[in-house]
């Protein structure tokens, strides 16, 4: 990559880290927050949904707005709003107020990672884009790792409210980096047209490849991320530990993602995209099946590590391809992709919770495993021929 491309990815990485750190901090703290706020753990677990749904539903707005008014400009505004809402969350007096602030945080975060991916698509050629996106994903994954693991580890020292203050400070750092160093692309448009935005969406939805990518990422998110808010509760119910152990176990997912970023170049050269997609489905299915065994949080951490590797084998391939389905409307394409992903994640939290209550933990996790295996096989069949290297 050229020096200017490397600098761009570094700036976007700081922003992406702050966004994903904020998105993961509640998962290992469900039990602690529930007790402190006098709310049922099942209700506090839905803070993930409160973040994911607005993140998803803001995408159809922010995508065309970013295409029209400039991706860099919209990202800076979103970072500022995220900083304010995270700081306010640290001082919330009740769970309803926290849910409201979490909704606003999710909406603001919706304009960070998707627009960053679109900017990479604008400025990095397709031949190097999957590797470039994987480098950006290092920061996104580290944000997930720090958000899920650090939150559980340090909550006992600074309280869950202190964790939110820390998240706000990180978001401020991202906003400052973007404000000082992130410049708009030459010739960026400065007029928004609703008719143009709707026409772009119509074209995207008429594109068979785009529709396949939107559907695949929706099902992927439902099967994998629906499980995450229940990891802490699951570990507690098995006697495997509290927030600390839950944070470390969830950190395994991020470590698996980091392993993917280290291996992606070799995978592309030796396997090609179709086999990466199949491998991602197999690894993810195996990991979800392993979580049914339980017994030790370390074992669960290893299983989540395998899940992280499998997820990013699938997801990074989807992200790379969606940046190319509509070169003149990349933010809109990535926005619909993110919309599909986060709606799937929000639905997954509800479905997995219902499944645990109705049929039990093991049958629900095995059903998720079967679904994600099907995603990998279907993706290789539908997307593979045009992307084989």
């Amino acid at each position: 990559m050229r020096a200017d491309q490397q600098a761009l990815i570094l700036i976007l990485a700081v922003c992406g880290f702050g966004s994903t750190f904020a998105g993961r901090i509640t998962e290992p703290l469900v039990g602690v927050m529930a007790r402190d706020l006098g709310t049922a753990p099942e209700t506090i677990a839905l803070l993930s949904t409160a973040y994911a749904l607005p993140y998803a539903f803001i995408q159809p707005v922010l995508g065309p707005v970013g295409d029209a008014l400039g991706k860099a400009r919209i990202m800076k505004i979103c970072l500022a709003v995220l900083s304010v809402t995270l700081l306010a969350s640290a001082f919330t007096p009740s769970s309803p107020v926290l849910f409201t602030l979490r909704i606003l945080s999710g909406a603001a975060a919706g304009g960070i990672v998707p627009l960053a991916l679109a900017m990479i698509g604008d400025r990095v050629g397709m031949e190097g884009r999957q590797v470039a996106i994987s480098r950006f994903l290092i920061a996104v994954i580290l944000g997930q790792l720090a958000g899920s693991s650090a939150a559980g580890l340090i909550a006992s020292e600074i309280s869950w409210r202190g964790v939110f203050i820390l998240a706000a400070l990180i978001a401020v750092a991202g906003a400052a980096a973007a404000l000082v160093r992130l410049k708009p692309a030459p010739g960026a448009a400065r007029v928004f047209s609703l008719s143009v935005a709707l026409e772009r969406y119509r074209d995207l939805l008429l594109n068979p490849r785009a529709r396949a990518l939107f559907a695949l990422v929706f099902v992927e998110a439902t099967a994998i991320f629906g499980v995450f808010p229940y990891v802490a509760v699951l570990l507690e119910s098995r006697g495997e530990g509290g927030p600390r152990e839950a944070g470390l176990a969830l950190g395994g997912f991020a470590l698996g993602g980091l392993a993917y970023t280290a291996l992606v170049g070799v995978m592309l050269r030796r396997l090609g995209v179709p086999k990466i997609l199949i491998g991602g489905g197999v690894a993810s299915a195996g990991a979800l099946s392993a979580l049914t065994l339980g017994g030790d949080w370390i074992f669960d951490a290893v299983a989540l590590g395998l899940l992280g590797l499998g997820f990013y084998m699938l997801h990074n391939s989807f992200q790379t391809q969606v940046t190319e389905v509509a070169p003149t409307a990349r933010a809109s394409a990535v926005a619909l992709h993110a919309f599909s992903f986060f709606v799937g994640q929000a639905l997954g939290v509800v479905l997995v919770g219902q499944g645990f209550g109705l049929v039990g933990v093991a049958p629900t996790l095995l059903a998720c495993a079967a679904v994600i295996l099907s995603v990998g096989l279907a993706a290789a069949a539908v997307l593979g021929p045009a992307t084989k290297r």
Side-chain angles (χ1 to χ4, degrees):
M1 282 186 289
R2 302 192 311 266
D4 62 323
Q5 294 173 338
Q6 292 175 343
L8 171 70
I9 291 173
L10 179 60
I11 296 164
L12 295 177
V14 176
C15 302
F17 180 91
S19 172
T20 53
F21 182 90
R24 286 280 171 257
I25 56 175
T26 64
E27 289 167 355
L29 303 178
V30 168
V32 174
M33 295 172 70
R35 287 189 290 271
D36 189 47
L37 294 172
T39 307
E42 294 79 7
T43 300
I44 295 298
L46 292 176
L47 283 171
S48 293
T49 302
Y51 190 90
L53 277 179
Y55 190 118
F57 283 102
I58 201 69
Q59 296 304 320
V61 177
L62 292 181
V65 170
D67 278 327
L69 303 182
K71 303 174 186 67
R73 177 189 296 183
I74 301 304
M75 181 184 290
K76 293 171 187 177
I77 295 172
C78 290
L79 284 162
V81 174
L82 179 63
S83 301
V84 172
T85 55
L86 286 171
L87 184 61
S89 297
F91 301 98
T92 181
S94 64
S95 58
V97 174
L98 181 58
F99 269 90
T100 300
L101 290 168
R102 202 65 180 151
I103 289 168
L104 294 174
S105 293
I112 300 173
V113 172
L115 289 180
L117 291 170
M119 277 190 269
I120 293 173
D122 287 342
R123 305 184 195 191
V124 180
M126 190 63 183
E127 68 282 355
R129 196 175 301 161
Q130 184 151 357
V131 173
I133 290 176
S134 74
R135 298 295 177 258
F136 168 71
L137 284 178
I138 292 175
V140 172
I141 296 165
L142 286 174
Q144 294 173 341
L145 175 62
S148 59
S149 298
L153 289 170
I154 66 178
S156 60
E157 303 296 329
I158 64 174
S159 82
W160 66 265
R161 296 179 186 273
V163 173
F164 272 96
I165 292 175
L166 177 60
L169 293 175
I170 294 171
V172 168
L179 184 63
V180 174
R181 300 299 302 273
L182 191 60
K183 307 301 181 184
R190 288 293 178 266
V191 177
F192 174 75
S193 169
L194 180 59
S195 62
V196 171
L198 294 175
E199 184 177 350
R200 284 172 172 167
Y201 279 140
R202 183 200 64 187
D203 292 342
L204 279 168
L205 294 175
L206 290 175
N207 184 321
R209 197 168 191 81
R211 289 201 305 270
L213 286 163
F214 300 154
L216 288 166
V217 81
F218 172 84
V219 180
E220 170 200 55
T222 302
I224 292 180
F225 279 84
V227 175
F228 275 40
Y230 301 101
V231 170
V233 177
L234 188 60
L235 263 63
E236 286 188 13
S237 68
R238 292 171 171 175
E240 297 178 21
R244 178 180 178 275
E245 289 76 17
L248 290 171
L250 287 165
F253 182 85
L255 291 176
L258 289 176
Y260 167 77
T261 65
L263 296 171
V264 60
V266 175
M267 288 182 180
L268 287 169
R269 289 193 300 272
R270 297 192 177 182
L271 299 178
V273 174
K275 290 182 180 178
I276 290 176
L277 291 167
I278 293 172
V282 170
S284 298
L288 288 169
S289 299
L291 286 176
T292 65
L293 302 176
D296 190 296
W297 72 264
I298 297 176
F299 177 83
D300 291 336
V302 173
L304 286 166
L306 179 62
L307 184 61
L309 175 63
F311 167 75
Y312 282 103
M313 290 172 72
L314 292 168
H315 197 65
N316 184 225
S317 300
F318 297 160
Q319 287 176 318
T320 301
Q321 293 189 42
V322 83
T323 62
E324 197 61 20
V325 293
T328 60
R330 282 198 174 93
S332 298
V334 175
L336 276 186
H337 197 247
F339 172 80
S340 301
F341 178 78
F342 277 90
V343 170
Q345 177 177 329
L347 178 63
V349 173
V350 176
L351 292 179
V352 170
Q354 291 293 316
F356 282 178
L358 293 175
V359 300
V361 172
T364 301
L365 290 175
L366 290 175
C368 290
V371 169
I372 199 63
L373 177 60
S374 300
V375 167
L377 296 175
V382 174
L383 304 175
T387 57
K388 189 172 182 178
R389 294 172 182 252

